[in-house]
Amino acid sequence: LWKQTYKQVLGSNVVLVICFGLIWAIVIWMLVREFQGDTTEITVSWFSILNSFFIIVFASFFSKWWESKYNPSAAWKYSFGLILLGLGFGLL
């Protein structure tokens, strides 16, 4: 993505990289602080970042996959999404 857009929206890309780095620095700091304490408790709010994390991680994969000749039908996409939703709910 950076290679395709850096000439058009360089400022936006730089801000995005800085914000992404700051967010991960805060997450790592919080994890280190949490696990250095006497007692460790991971609250439910820690899991609220998983939704956005998986969107960021898998968005480019599915975008490239669906641009290729293997583009599934809309019904297949909905069923795949519901299966993943059910698996995620089962894990929780």
Side-chain angles (χ1 to χ4, degrees):
L1 183 63
W2 177 273
K3 290 178 186 178
Q4 295 174 353
T5 62
Y6 77 96
K7 289 180 182 176
Q8 299 165 344
V9 285
L10 179 62
S12 176
N13 286 344
V14 170
V15 170
L16 179 67
V17 167
I18 291 170
C19 291
F20 193 73
L22 286 173
I23 288 171
W24 277 105
I26 291 170
V27 167
I28 292 169
W29 172 73
M30 289 178 70
L31 284 172
V32 168
R33 188 184 67 164
E34 181 68 36
F35 288 115
Q36 286 180 346
D38 294 336
T39 61
T40 300
E41 179 182 349
I42 298 176
T43 60
V44 175
S45 61
W46 279 84
F47 293 102
S48 65
I49 66 164
L50 292 178
N51 182 35
S52 54
F53 173 74
F54 285 120
I55 289 172
I56 291 169
V57 169
F58 291 118
S60 61
F61 168 73
F62 283 105
S63 171
K64 289 292 182 188
W65 181 26
W66 291 342
E67 284 179 357
S68 70
K69 65 179 181 176
Y70 300 109
N71 187 7
S73 66
W76 192 91
K77 290 177 188 177
Y78 284 126
S79 64
F80 185 63
L82 287 173
I83 290 168
L84 287 177
L85 179 71
L87 288 173
F89 185 74
L91 287 173
L92 288 176

